[in-house]
Structures are given as C-alpha cells and as structure tokens.
C-alpha cells in the first residue's frame, strides 16, 4: 500500500508541457527568493557593521602625550599578587609616531622602550589622586619656604 501526496497525484495527470512550465515557474520563484535572501543578508551585514562601529573608538596620541602601556604578555598573572597584579605600566611619553598606529615610547627616566608598540596596547595616562596631591604639594612648597625665610 502506498499513500500518494496531492502534489504527486497532480503531477501524474499533467502533460509534459504543463509539467515543464510548472517546474520553470518554481525555478523562477527560487531565483526570486535567492535574490531576496541575498539583499536581506547584505542589509543585515550593513546593520552589523554600523552597530560595531558605534562602539569602536579611534585612539590617537600626540607627541609628548603621557600614556599607559599594557604589561605583556596580557593575561599573565603573578601568583603572589593574584588578581591585584597590575595590568598597565607607566607612565610613558610618546616620542615617535609610525605608520600603522605604531608608537615609540620613552619612560620618565628617558629610556626608550625596546620596540615600537601598537596603539591598541596603550591608553591615555590619567594621574592618580595621590600623584595629583603630590603635584599640588610640590607647587605650594616654594611659596611655603619663601614665606618661612622672611
């Protein structure tokens, strides 16, 4: 016993020309659906690119800027410090700019880094609260000593 589907039953009673015409119409429908799927895919890719580019921030540094440098290799942790292991080191001063977002750095003792470093591995240096406090103290010390000597 075999159970026939309606589609197979209809095809049995079609002439050869009618069958070929039905198949060509189905092929045209497939081509239209493929074109629609392709345009939908292109549209989705554009939306993905726009969404990604909203979150990307272009980083560029000027000569003389103070920056932090990532401690390489990234993710390597000293067992003594555990999660308190510093991820960044510095400050460093930008002294050279090379093509391809590469920078030459110099530490505060005027020692050059061994190699140029890519811009994705550095970030802008912001002094800590204690460093700001120390700077303010140093600025006020000459005034204090001048007042004291009078």
């Amino acid at each position: 016993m075999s159970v026939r589907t309606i589609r197979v039953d209809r095809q049995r009673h079609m002439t050869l020309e009618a069958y070929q015409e039905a198949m060509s119409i189905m092929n045209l429908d497939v081509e239209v659906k493929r074109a629609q799927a392709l345009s939908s895919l292109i549209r989705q890719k554009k939306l993905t690119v726009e969404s990604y580019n909203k979150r990307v921030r272009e980083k560029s540094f000027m000569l003389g800027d103070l920056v932090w440098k990532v401690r390489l290799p990234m993710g390597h942790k000293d067992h003594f410090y555990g999660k308190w292991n510093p991820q960044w080191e510095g400050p460093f001063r930008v002294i050279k700019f090379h093509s391809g977002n590469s920078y030459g750095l110099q530490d505060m003792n005027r020692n050059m880094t061994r190699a140029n470093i890519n811009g994705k591995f550095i970030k802008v240096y912001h002094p800590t609260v204690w460093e700001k406090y120390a700077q303010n103290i140093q600025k006020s010390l000459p005034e204090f000593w001048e007042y004291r000597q009078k």
Side-chain angles (χ1 to χ4, degrees):
M1 174 174 167
S2 71
V3 179
R4 291 190 196 145
T5 62
I6 296 173
R7 181 179 59 89
V8 172
D9 197 35
R10 284 185 187 163
Q11 286 178 358
R12 284 181 170 256
H13 300 299
M14 292 176 95
T15 63
L16 181 63
E17 292 83 24
Y19 178 77
Q20 288 176 341
E21 185 177 337
M23 290 297 117
S24 66
I25 290 173
M26 282 179 58
N27 286 341
L28 288 177
D29 287 344
V30 168
E31 292 299 323
V32 169
K33 287 182 182 180
R34 281 185 183 165
Q36 289 173 344
L38 180 63
S39 66
S40 174
L41 184 66
I42 291 170
R43 189 172 53 253
Q44 288 172 355
K45 290 290 183 184
K46 285 181 182 177
L47 290 174
T48 303
V49 167
E50 289 173 8
S51 173
Y52 176 78
N53 287 338
K54 284 180 186 177
R55 294 180 295 231
V56 173
R57 291 188 202 154
E58 192 68 31
K59 286 199 282 187
S60 62
F61 303 97
M62 304 296 291
L63 295 178
D65 283 353
L66 291 177
V67 295
W68 289 105
K69 180 181 84 155
V70 72
R71 291 187 60 174
L72 296 175
M74 291 178 63
H76 175 70
K77 294 190 176 171
D78 188 1
H79 295 292
F80 180 75
Y81 293 112
K83 71 177 184 178
W84 302 109
N85 196 39
Q87 301 296 316
W88 299 88
E89 59 187 2
F92 290 90
R93 188 172 307 281
V94 176
I95 59 165
K96 283 191 245 172
F97 174 75
H98 302 282
S99 62
N101 198 24
S102 177
Y103 296 91
L105 302 179
Q106 179 183 59
D107 66 7
M108 300 315 285
N109 296 328
R110 299 192 180 275
N111 298 326
M112 294 285 297
T113 54
R114 284 182 285 170
N116 297 327
I117 189 163
N118 193 305
K120 69 181 179 181
F121 296 117
I122 58 179
K123 68 179 181 179
V124 176
Y125 173 78
H126 297 288
T128 63
V129 174
W130 299 112
E131 290 170 335
K132 287 181 184 177
Y133 180 72
Q135 287 172 355
N136 290 338
I137 296 256
Q138 286 175 352
K139 288 179 185 175
S140 63
L141 277 178
E143 296 170 4
F144 172 74
W145 289 113
E146 288 174 13
Y147 172 76
R148 181 115 180 180
Q149 291 175 354
K150 289 183 181 178

